[in-house]
């Protein structure tokens, strides 16, 4: 599961809380709703291709050329992102 969020805000550092919005009609919503935990990967300004890939439907978002690793609690994180 993965998505491109266009609205994302920090709510609190302690405890770590964020806010973002996903349409209930999104194919990602049922999975996200049941996930319990998730990873956040912040993209650089030159990563439009990655953002576009995760915004599309019916594509394997984690297939090549996406480079990822297992992060905390087994969630997928970009390989270029520092560990959290």
């Amino acid at each position: 599961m993965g998505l491109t969020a266009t609205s994302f805000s920090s709510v609190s550092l302690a405890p770590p809380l964020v806010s973002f919005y996903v349409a209930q009609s999104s194919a990602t919503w049922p999975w996200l709703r049941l996930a319990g935990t998730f990873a956040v990967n912040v993209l650089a300004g030159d990563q439009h291709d990655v953002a576009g890939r995760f915004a599309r439907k019916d594509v394997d978002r984690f297939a090549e050329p996406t480079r990822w690793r297992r992060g905390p609690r087994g969630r997928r994180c970009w390989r270029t992102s520092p560990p959290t």
Side-chain angles (χ1 to χ4, degrees):
M1 168 187 56
L3 62 95
T4 296
T6 56
S7 176
F8 182 88
S9 302
S10 172
V11 176
S12 170
L13 289 175
L17 297 173
V18 295
S19 171
F20 60 97
Y21 302 94
V22 178
Q24 289 182 339
S25 60
S26 166
T28 305
W29 172 244
W31 298 101
L32 186 60
R33 183 172 176 257
L34 298 174
T37 63
F38 59 90
V40 173
N41 296 277
V42 179
L43 302 179
D46 64 350
Q47 292 181 295
H48 298 281
D49 57 329
V50 177
R53 180 181 191 79
F54 277 78
R56 287 194 302 267
K57 295 181 182 181
D58 302 323
V59 75
D60 183 352
R61 296 168 177 147
F62 291 97
E64 290 293 331
T66 304
R67 297 181 60 215
W68 60 274
R69 62 176 170 75
R70 292 285 176 190
R73 301 185 183 182
R75 298 296 173 226
R76 295 176 183 181
C77 299
W78 303 120
R79 265 198 205 158
T80 56
S81 296
T84 57

